[in-house]
Amino acid sequence: MRLADLAETSLRVAATRSRLAKVDAIAARLGAAAPDEVAVAVRYLTGELRQRRAGVGWAALRRLPPAAATASLSALDVDLVFGRLESAGGPGAVAERRAQLRALLARATVEEQRFLVSLALGELRQGAQAGIMAEAVARAAGVEVALVRRAAMLSGDLATVADAALRGGAGGLDRFQLVVGRPVRPMLAQTAASVAAAMGAVGTAIVEWKLDGVRVQVHRDGDDVAVFTRTLDPITSRVPELVEAARALAARSVVLDGEAIALRPDGRPRPFQETSGRVASRDAAAEPRRAVPLTLFVFDCLWLEGEALIDRPAAARLAAAAAVLPPSVWVPRVITGDVAAATRFFEDAVARGHEGVMVKALTAPYQAGRRGAAWLKVKPRHTLDLVVLAAEWGHGRRQGWLSTLHLGARDPATGGFAMLGKTFKGLTDVMLAWQTARLLALATDRGQGVVAVRPELVVEVAFDGIQSSPRYPAGMALRFARVVRHRPDRRADEADTVATVRRLHRGG
C-alpha cells in the first residue's frame, strides 16, 4: 500500500462530517491492503505510530527537504524507518535519527510530507477515532462490529485486532479473551441529572458510593499480583497496600475493578490530589505509605477462579464474587428499585464526603471500554468531563498564563468535539501554571491572544445549568462553568458526549 493512498484517505475522512462516509472510506482502504499492511494502515489512519519513542520532535521537522515529484513510498517503508529511529542509540544517535528522517521525507511528495509530519507529531486529527475505526474494520472484514469492539477492548490494540479480523474473519477474533495479568479497558459511566432520572433509566439497580479516588484494576494469579490504572498503566510497585489486599483474598485467580482512595482516620476521603499524588509517586517506602495510606474498594469482578465473568449480568458477577470476597472489600451499596431509598443512600454518601453515587443496571454485562447507559453517575452538582479545544492568554495578575479555556463535548457523529462555552473560573495559580505548560505542549496555532491546541486535555467542569444558545454548533452553552480539576488520567475519547449534555439540558 502506498503512503499516498493513506494520505489521500486521511484527507477524505477529514473533509466529511458524515460518520458513514468516514467508515466507508477507511473500510475501502483497509479492504485493499495486503495482510501485512493492515495493522500499519489502522495505526496511521488513527493518527499514531507503532513506535512509541521514535525520538522525533518539532526541531527535526522545522525545515523539510524538497518534496519528491512522484509517490514511491509504501506504508511499510515508513514503518521500517520509524523502527530504525526508535532503536537508534548511543553517541551520534540524534544526528543519525535526523539524517534518516530527512532521507525519508525527501522521498515523500508534498501531500505525503504533510501526512508524515502530522503523524510524527501526533497531530493527525481527521476524525478517525476508535469507534469509527472499529466500524470500518468490521465492514472491511465482513464481521459484526460488536466482535471487533470486544476484541479491541480485551486486547487494548485495535491494529492487532484489525489484522486478525481481516486475516481470519470472526474466527480470527476468538483468540482475544480476558487474560489474568493483561488489563482490559474499563467500563465507563454517563452522567444523570438526579437519582430519580438514573433510576428511571435503569429500573431496579445497584446503587453504590461514587468515590473520588483512582480507578484501578487488580489482577491476581496465585502469588502474582498486578495493578493497573484506568489508562492501563502498571502501578504495582507503587501500591503495596493493594497488592497485600489482593493476596489476602480467598480467591487465588481474580480480576477486580475498583478504586484506590486515601482516607482520613475518621473514614472520610482525603482530597483527590493526595490520593493521586500518592499513586503517582514512585516512592512506595514506609514513610509515604504511612503518611497517605491507600484503601482498596472493589465494585466489580471480571474474572474468578478460571472463569471470565464479563459477559454475565452485573447481578450474577456480584453474586459469584460475593461467595469468596469478604464484605469489607466491597464499596458500600444497596440494590433497590425505590427512588426514595436510593436518594437517602445518595445523601448519606455525600454527607460522608464522597462524590455521590453510581447507579448500575442489574442486567448489564461488563462492556469494557464503553461509556454506555448501563452505568450512570449522580453527583450533588452537575459535572462533565470536557476537552480543552483552545485557551486564551490571561490579563492582569494572570498575564503570562493560559487562562480562559474553550470547552468541548465529544461528538461521536462527526468524530470531533462541539464547543459548549468558555471559563476561567476555579483555577488556582498552581493549576494555571500546570495547564499553561501542558497546553503549550499541545499547541497547534499560537494566534493573537488564543492558542489552539490538540484536543487531548480533559477537565472536569462544574456548572449551574445548560441553556439554549445559537452561538455554538450544538445549540447549547454551559451556565457559570468552573473547572473542578484537570484529568490527565482520562483520554479525550472518554469525555462526555453531546448527547449526554443534551439529555441534561432536557432534565432527563
Side-chain angles (χ1 to χ4, degrees), residues 397-399 401-403 424 426-437 486:
R397 66 177 302 275
R398 290 192 173 189
Q399 188 169 1
W401 282 335
L402 287 172
S403 177
F424 57 85
L427 296 164
T428 66
D429 288 355
V430 172
M431 295 170 74
L432 284 164
W434 184 88
Q435 78 178 22
T436 298
H486 300 113

Side-chain angles (χ1 to χ4, degrees), residues 26 42 56 152 177 199 208 219 239 249 287 308 342 435 475:
I26 297 171
V42 168
V56 177
Q177 302 295 330
M199 298 289 286
E208 63 191 26
H219 292 236
V239 289
L249 299 174
E287 185 53 39
Q435 78 178 22

Side-chain angles (χ1 to χ4, degrees), residues 64-362:
L64 301 179
T70 58
S72 63
L73 283 172
S74 73
L76 295 182
D77 289 336
V78 175
D79 184 64
L80 181 63
V81 171
F82 277 105
R84 290 172 182 160
L85 297 182
E86 183 182 45
S87 62
V94 173
E96 175 62 22
R97 287 194 193 99
R98 289 193 176 186
Q100 290 200 39
L101 182 61
R102 188 170 180 82
L104 174 67
L105 291 167
R107 295 173 58 194
T109 63
V110 172
E111 293 77 12
E112 290 172 327
Q113 284 187 348
R114 290 172 181 161
F115 183 75
L116 285 173
V117 169
S118 296
L119 191 61
L121 295 178
E123 296 177 354
L124 191 65
R125 304 287 167 181
Q126 77 271 17
Q129 294 179 329
I132 288 174
M133 183 58 73
E135 292 181 33
V137 169
R139 180 162 316 167
V143 302
E144 294 181 11
V145 68
L147 295 178
V148 174
R149 286 176 177 154
R150 189 177 191 279
M153 308 311 176
L154 293 174
S155 72
D157 185 0
L158 183 54
T160 301
V161 169
D163 179 82
L166 270 80
R167 287 179 188 268
L173 300 178
D174 290 342
R175 66 184 176 91
F176 296 102
Q177 302 295 330
L178 196 156
V179 175
V180 180
R182 186 176 70 193
V184 302
R185 295 288 179 191
M187 188 167 175
L188 306 174
Q190 292 188 19
T191 300
S194 65
V195 171
M199 298 289 286
V202 302
T204 299
I206 303 160
V207 184
E208 63 191 26
W209 287 359
K210 186 181 188 311
L211 304 176
D212 193 16
V214 172
R215 184 85 173 266
V216 292
Q217 198 175 111
V218 180
H219 292 236
R220 180 186 177 186
D221 184 10
D223 289 333
D224 294 331
V225 175
V227 183
F228 304 91
T229 66
R230 62 177 290 134
T231 53
L232 312 189
D233 296 314
I235 56 168
T236 311
S237 62
R238 306 179 196 176
V239 289
E241 308 99 307
L242 274 57
V243 173
E244 293 167 7
R247 286 179 176 155
L249 299 174
R252 299 280 297 172
S253 176
V254 66
V255 176
L256 303 172
D257 192 4
E259 201 94 359
I261 188 169
L263 301 174
R264 300 184 189 279
D266 63 0
R268 295 180 69 83
R270 293 173 180 261
F272 173 76
Q273 289 77 6
E274 294 188 30
T275 296
S276 61
R278 167 58 210 283
V279 171
S281 174
R282 298 183 181 276
D283 184 1
E287 185 53 39
R289 177 177 177 179
R290 193 161 43 240
V292 188
L294 296 173
T295 299
L296 172 65
F297 284 97
V298 172
F299 49 71
D300 216 322
C301 183
L302 315 186
W303 174 279
L304 184 63
E305 304 296 23
E307 184 177 0
L309 305 182
I310 58 174
D311 293 324
R312 293 192 189 183
R317 296 197 304 274
L318 299 185
V324 294
L325 302 184
S328 59
V329 78
W330 291 100
V331 66
R333 63 160 57 90
V334 294
I335 297 178
T336 182
D338 185 343
V339 173
T343 300
R344 289 193 297 271
F345 186 82
F346 164 78
E347 292 169 347
D348 179 67
V350 173
R352 293 172 183 268
H354 300 297
E355 281 195 309
V357 295
M358 298 291 299
V359 178
K360 300 179 177 179
L362 286 168

Side-chain angles (χ1 to χ4, degrees), residues 276-507:
S276 61
R278 167 58 210 283
V279 171
S281 174
R282 298 183 181 276
D283 184 1
E287 185 53 39
R289 177 177 177 179
R290 193 161 43 240
V292 188
L294 296 173
T295 299
L296 172 65
F297 284 97
V298 172
F299 49 71
D300 216 322
C301 183
L302 315 186
W303 174 279
L304 184 63
E305 304 296 23
E307 184 177 0
L309 305 182
I310 58 174
D311 293 324
R312 293 192 189 183
R317 296 197 304 274
L318 299 185
V324 294
L325 302 184
S328 59
V329 78
W330 291 100
V331 66
R333 63 160 57 90
V334 294
I335 297 178
T336 182
D338 185 343
V339 173
T343 300
R344 289 193 297 271
F345 186 82
F346 164 78
E347 292 169 347
D348 179 67
V350 173
R352 293 172 183 268
H354 300 297
E355 281 195 309
V357 295
M358 298 291 299
V359 178
K360 300 179 177 179
L362 286 168
T363 57
Y366 191 92
Q367 296 175 299
R370 303 293 301 279
R371 190 185 287 277
W375 285 13
L376 298 170
K377 55 186 176 184
V378 183
K379 300 181 183 182
R381 61 184 175 187
H382 296 317
T383 68
L384 291 166
D385 291 334
L386 301 176
V387 178
V388 178
L389 307 179
E392 299 174 16
W393 289 105
H395 304 282
R397 66 177 302 275
R398 290 192 173 189
Q399 188 169 1
W401 282 335
L402 287 172
S403 177
T404 301
L405 303 179
H406 296 201
L407 304 168
R410 186 163 54 88
D411 188 352
T414 66
F417 300 88
M419 188 171 172
L420 298 172
K422 308 176 185 180
T423 189
F424 57 85
K425 297 180 179 179
L427 296 164
T428 66
D429 288 355
V430 172
M431 295 170 74
L432 284 164
W434 184 88
Q435 78 178 22
T436 298
R438 178 63 181 143
L439 293 174
L440 287 177
L442 297 175
T444 59
D445 184 4
R446 302 192 185 192
Q448 290 293 327
V450 180
V451 175
V453 300
R454 300 198 304 270
E456 295 182 12
L457 176 60
V458 177
V459 293
E460 183 178 358
V461 177
F463 56 97
D464 291 350
I466 302 169
Q467 63 189 19
S468 298
S469 173
R471 182 177 181 182
Y472 298 116
M476 300 176 291
L478 302 182
R479 296 181 65 248
F480 304 110
R482 54 206 178 273
V483 175
V484 177
R485 55 178 164 163
H486 300 113
R487 296 307 306 256
D489 59 322
R490 297 195 175 182
R491 304 190 313 273
D493 62 2
E494 295 177 343
D496 281 304
T497 65
V498 171
T500 294
V501 180
R502 187 161 287 120
R503 188 175 64 252
L504 292 175
H505 183 31
R506 292 195 300 261

